[in-house]
Every structure is written in C-alpha cells, then in structure tokens.
Amino acid sequence: MSHVQTSSSYLPQPQGPVWIAGAGVSGRGAADDLATQLGWSVCIIDSNFTAASELADRHGGSAMTVEEAHSRLDEASLIVTSPGWRPDTPLLRDAQEQGIPVIGDVELAWCADRDGRFGEPRTWLAVTGTNGKTTATSMLASMMVESGAAAEAVGNIGVAVGTALTQTPRVSVMVAELSSFQLHWSPTLTPDAGVVLNLAEDHIDWHGSMDAYAADKARVYRGSVIVVNADDERVCREAERYMELSSTSSSGDTPARRVIEFTMGEPGAGQVGVIDGRIVDRACVPAHSEGVDIADATRISPPGPAGVADALAATAIARSQGVEPDAIVRALSSFVVEKHRGQVVYEAGDIRWIDNSKATNPHATDAALSAVESCVWIAGGQLKGAQIDDLIHKNADRISAAVVLGQDREIIRQSLATIHPRIPLTVITSTDPVIAMNEAVQAASRLAQPGDTVLLAPAAASLDMYTGMSQRGDLFAEAARRYGRGTEG
C-alpha cells in the first residue's frame, strides 16, 4: 500500500494520484482544486465510467469504476470524496479501515488555505444546524461586508470553498454554510468561529444515529470561538462535550475556546439576547457592562422566532470578530430572506402567502408555524419516517385549516383528524406536480380568512412529485399569484 507522507503541512502529501470519489458537482470542484490549483494528479472514481472518464480527461488524469477502485484499494494513498457519499459506502469504509485518509472538498480547501497555498490564510466562520443555516450565513456575511471585511458566503450557498480561495478580488473572510455531510468528511477543519444553530433529527439514515449526526455538526466547535444556542438542550450538550474534550486533550495545538451563547430571552453575562424587542450584546463587552444595544428585533426578515434566532447567532459571531453595532444594523435592515425560506410571495385581501418549501422536516416546520398567528397550512411530501404528531399538538391553535398533498398525505391527514378534528381539511390526490399545487392553492384560497397566512411549510421532502424544494416553492408562488384571493382568473 502507498502511504501519505508526513510533514508539518496541513495538506496530506500523497504518493501517486489522488482518488476523487464522485464525478458530480463536488467531484468536478475537487478535481479543479487538485489538478489546476495544487498541481496534483487525479483519478476519478464513479459508477458512471463515462462521466468519470470525461472529468479525468479534462484534467489529464485517469478513471475507474467504483468496483475496480475497490479491488485496487491497496494503491490508494488519499481519497477526496463528494459529501453525499455515505460513511458506510464499502469503498470508503474499507479505505479508512486500512488507514487511507478520506476527506471532503471543504477539508481539502481548508488545509490548502492553512498551508498558505493561496496567500495569507483566511478567517473561517462556520455556520451549521438542522435549520436556518442559509439565513444565518447570509446575515453574517452581510454583517461582515458592512464592517468593511472582504467577506463572502461560501459552501452550500454562494460559491464553493475551493473557488472562493482563488477569487479576485481576494476573499479574506470565508462565511461558510456547512452541512453535516461536509463536516463528517472534515476531520481537522478548525474554523475561527463556529455556531450550531439547532439540532433535531435529520439525515439519520446517512449518519447512522442522532448521536453521530450531532457529533458531526459539532465539529464547527473545534475553533477558538464557540457560539451556542442556549435555548437548545442538545446543542448545549454537544458544546459541553467539546469543551471537555478540549480540557482533557494532550495536543499542544488545541486552541483556547471562548464560549458565547445566544438566547431568545433576556441575556445574561456572556450572552446575546433580546430585551424589550431589541437585540442586546452582553458577551462581547467589557466586564460588568450592562450590555450594548444592537438592533431592533421586531423588524427582522424573516419574521418570527426563527428569523430572530438566526439574527442572534449571526450577531454573536460578528461581534466576536469585532463588528460594530452600526454595521449589524445596516446588514439586518437591508436583509431579504432567500427564496423558499419564509419569503412572502403574495399579499391580497389581508391574506399573506408564504413560501417555506425549505421546511422539509417537522423541526423546520415548527419554526415556520411559530412565526404566524393563524394559518392555512399546506403540508405533505416524503416524511422519511419523521413523526408529525408532536408538531401538530404544539401548533394546533395556529392551524385554522389545512391542505395536504404528496406521498405521505394520509399520515398527516390522520394525525390532523385525531389531534385537531374540527379544522377544515382538504386532501389533494393528484400526483401531477403542477395540478397538485394549483389545486392545493385554490383550496387554501377558499379556506383562508382575513388575517390568515397561507403557509407552505411541508414538513416533508419534495422528491415524490417535484425536482426539489425549489420547484415546489416556485409553483406555489406562481399559483398564489394566480389563484390567491383578491385576484382575477
């Protein structure tokens, strides 16, 4: 077996071509980073040999099927995997058992940056969590830009991390939205500051257990600033676990860690929170300070507790980096929520239509429902085994009517009928994506009363009928504008 040479650099020093697992978007980015930017030779591994060969040809490399690579595993010295490849994939599992490093594209970019391959190492600010990542990352990037920093949102939004390292003008602050998949394959990534926004069951089939999922998320806590959601018990436990690991570590390069908490309540010392509708910082202030008034929490987009929590998390990280309140105010006042994440897509007759198609699990839908007082709830799709009863129990008083569609519509219908039996309920049976959404919106328009919000927050994945949550949300917005009360047609 070939071995990775040891050195003082962060980047592994492989002997022979680096294997890239996956010829998709992530694999193409990794191949460009390795071959074009680092000058390494590559071998592309994919079950689609044609796709692997085409990518390899573009970079002067070689290609193998997954089966061939597995049979020649003793030739590998380093594998860079696409984040979607599961840990129990036989090729990756057996490679790790034989001591062959397996890393992802985020880890590769971080190591190259720390080695100075692209100039002075950047500041990395990492955002993860079950829900709210994109909003919080976008808010934080805006705050950093308003402060005068050369910052950009990277990772799952904005540009790929490897691409950002080579951009002109130079990006000096990487505000990275990171998934649990990306973090799993990032064994040494140590951001300057990191936050886990929240933790709820998601992607358990990929990680194997909730504990494994939470542990991968908590890898953003390796850095010197840990931002903790004081209102989320699981997040607090993971932060404590990392602090314990830090205190017992014998490694001399473990950074001293500073903990900043955020809370929807009144903040104590070391916290960022809310007092009388204002965001107040009592963490990044002099000792014994009463705190610093930051911004109005009542005008944040998206409205409701989830939007405020994201703003608090972003504020906590920004303040840890020395950002002044006026920059945070400018960022929040001009911030507009991304599509499909609580965006108001239509208003007429005192009825709002909100697209939260990104709410693909009950935890995200709970946050969406908690932001409204009375709604016609449009739900359904692929529940992926998630339990819906607790969500409906908690939000029954907010749901004035419901429309259910999609593969698991019957499960949601039964739960609503049992827990909230008196509400008007419409079941859409069509499996055509356009017809089903049009019928759902027309039904919601008939059910909605002045003051209601018609809320698309499915609590379920979209691939039973749609190409993704974006198509689902776009069709909802189009139908709302066409059939929403107050329009003709």
Side-chain angles (χ1 to χ4, degrees):
M1 180 192 298
S2 299
H3 298 281
V4 175
Q5 296 175 349
T6 59
S7 72
S8 59
S9 70
Y10 287 86
L11 274 172
Q13 304 299 310
Q15 296 179 332
V18 175
W19 290 12
I20 297 177
V25 174
S26 179
R28 292 194 294 272
D32 187 63
D33 292 343
L34 288 167
T36 305
Q37 307 300 335
L38 298 178
W40 292 0
S41 60
V42 297
C43 178
I44 312 300
I45 313 297
D46 200 285
S47 56
N48 184 337
F49 185 71
T50 299
S53 297
E54 290 174 353
L55 180 56
D57 289 345
R58 286 201 293 271
H59 294 283
S62 57
M64 288 190 287
T65 64
V66 176
E67 292 75 13
E68 182 182 1
H70 205 175
S71 68
R72 297 170 59 180
L73 195 52
D74 60 342
E75 300 174 20
S77 61
L78 173 66
I79 300 176
V80 177
T81 181
S82 298
W85 284 43
R86 292 167 55 131
D88 59 359
T89 301
L91 175 67
L92 304 184
R93 181 196 62 215
D94 292 351
Q96 290 185 302
E97 288 178 355
Q98 294 182 33
I100 301 166
V102 180
I103 65 174
D105 58 331
V106 172
E107 172 81 359
L108 175 67
W110 185 81
C111 289
D113 183 48
R114 278 297 176 270
D115 272 357
R117 295 296 186 99
F118 305 103
E120 186 72 18
R122 284 116 177 112
T123 296
W124 286 62
L125 309 177
V127 179
T128 195
T130 303
N131 297 300
K133 296 185 292 297
T134 297
T135 298
T137 303
S138 300
M139 286 177 171
L140 177 56
S142 296
M143 292 174 187
M144 300 307 298
V145 168
E146 288 290 346
S147 75
E152 185 159 2
V154 303
N156 280 348
I157 62 172
V159 300
V161 288
T163 302
L165 293 176
T166 61
Q167 279 192 175
T168 302
R170 173 187 164 91
V171 176
S172 296
V173 180
M174 309 271 280
V175 185
E177 177 192 325
L178 300 178
S179 71
S180 58
F181 304 162
Q182 290 168 316
L183 288 164
H184 179 87
W185 297 119
S186 298
T188 68
L189 170 71
T190 307
D192 297 272
V195 60
V196 180
L197 299 170
N198 43 61
L199 284 171
E201 287 195 358
D202 202 14
H203 303 302
I204 304 305
D205 55 344
W206 196 96
H207 292 274
S209 70
M210 180 62 190
D211 286 344
Y213 169 71
D216 282 337
K217 287 286 193 185
R219 286 185 167 189
V220 298
Y221 284 156
R222 288 201 191 97
S224 56
V225 177
I226 293 176
V227 175
V228 178
N229 182 351
D231 302 331
D232 189 307
E233 182 180 348
R234 187 69 190 242
V235 170
C236 292
R237 288 206 307 269
E238 289 299 323
E240 290 173 2
R241 183 176 69 85
Y242 259 78
M243 291 299 290
E244 290 174 2
L245 289 173
S246 174
S247 64
T248 59
S249 173
S250 60
S251 173
D253 59 0
T254 301
R257 291 188 171 94
R258 175 188 182 193
V259 179
I260 300 172
E261 294 183 342
F262 68 93
T263 175
M264 296 289 288
E266 180 175 337
Q271 292 184 325
V272 176
V274 180
I275 300 177
D276 296 330
R278 304 284 300 178
I279 295 176
V280 176
D281 173 18
R282 287 181 171 168
C284 305
V285 295
H288 309 299
S289 169
E290 290 298 314
V292 174
D293 181 89
I294 303 292
D296 186 353
T298 65
R299 297 181 178 274
I300 288 170
S301 173
V308 175
D310 291 339
L312 289 168
T315 297
I317 292 187
R319 291 288 288 161
S320 79
Q321 304 302 302
V323 176
E324 294 296 330
D326 59 346
I328 295 173
V329 170
R330 290 195 300 272
L332 291 177
S333 63
S334 61
F335 182 79
V336 178
V337 68
E338 297 280 335
K339 289 177 66 176
H340 316 307
R341 292 168 171 84
Q343 182 184 46
V344 178
V345 296
Y346 185 69
E347 289 187 83
D350 199 25
I351 296 170
R352 290 189 309 166
W353 299 73
I354 292 181
D355 168 17
N356 212 317
S357 183
K358 184 65 169 63
T360 57
N361 57 58
H363 186 266
T365 298
D366 180 42
L369 286 168
S370 69
V372 299
E373 292 184 3
S374 177
C375 77
V376 178
W377 180 34
I378 299 179
Q382 296 169 308
L383 287 172
K384 301 177 294 183
Q387 299 300 309
I388 206 79
D389 288 358
D390 288 347
L391 171 70
I392 294 173
H393 270 298
K394 182 177 178 181
N395 293 283
D397 291 344
R398 302 178 188 275
I399 303 171
S400 62
V403 180
V404 296
L405 72 165
Q407 175 179 303
D408 290 329
R409 61 185 179 273
E410 182 60 20
I411 296 174
I412 302 175
R413 186 202 68 76
Q414 289 179 0
S415 184
L416 282 164
T418 301
I419 298 167
H420 204 3
R422 296 183 180 180
I423 66 164
L425 174 63
T426 300
V427 178
I428 306 299
T429 59
S430 174
T431 58
D432 179 276
V434 176
I435 293 173
M437 187 57 73
N438 284 346
E439 290 181 353
V441 166
Q442 288 172 307
S445 186
R446 293 191 296 268
L447 293 167
Q449 300 298 317
D452 274 347
T453 294
V454 178
L455 176 65
L456 174 68
S462 58
L463 297 180
D464 56 333
M465 286 196 292
Y466 303 97
T467 58
M469 67 89 184
S470 294
Q471 186 200 31
R472 179 170 63 184
D474 288 342
L475 290 174
F476 169 78
E478 292 170 11
R481 289 188 286 268
R482 184 178 303 118
Y483 302 113
R485 182 173 299 177
T487 65
E488 296 180 357

